[in-house]
Amino acid sequence: MLIQTESKAQGWRAVAVFDDRPDALIFVGRSSTHVRQEYVEAFNELLDDEEREHTTAIQLQQWSGAPDAGRWVLKNTLKVPTPLKVRLAA
């Protein structure tokens, strides 16, 4: 007997996909809109320069299934943020 307490998936996340290492979790949010609004800042905060250079994609994923029995499903691919340019004061 399968009992699901949620009528739909409740979790969303952004995951960085690299060309030379395992994927990395960037941000977890309550909605796709929330993740889209916050992933760029999280990307720049969490990853160092080398990791940002090796990022090939950012995946938007949604949790599908019961809280204790489900899987992450790819919903979209987000734009990889461009590197921040730091201006130094003269």
Side-chain angles (χ1 to χ4, degrees):
M1 176 183 210
L2 177 64
I3 299 174
Q4 290 188 338
T5 58
E6 301 289 340
S7 61
K8 62 180 183 173
Q10 299 296 313
W12 291 83
R13 71 182 187 176
V15 175
V17 178
F18 301 108
D19 59 5
D20 66 342
R21 62 195 81 190
D23 299 349
L25 178 64
I26 300 295
F27 189 81
V28 176
R30 62 187 172 276
S31 67
S32 64
T33 302
H34 183 217
V35 173
R36 288 174 191 272
Q37 290 171 346
E38 302 293 336
Y39 87 94
V40 173
E41 184 178 343
F43 176 85
N44 287 312
E45 262 186 46
L46 295 173
L47 302 181
D48 62 26
D49 290 339
E50 182 186 353
E51 291 169 322
R52 287 191 291 269
E53 289 175 13
H54 287 278
T55 303
T56 59
I58 304 289
Q59 294 183 346
L60 177 65
Q61 300 176 350
Q62 181 183 27
W63 184 255
S64 178
D68 63 344
R71 63 185 179 95
W72 290 103
V73 177
L74 175 63
K75 291 296 184 174
N76 204 345
T77 301
L78 304 173
K79 182 180 175 188
V80 176
T82 56
L84 290 177
K85 303 290 184 193
V86 178
R87 293 184 184 174
L88 299 175

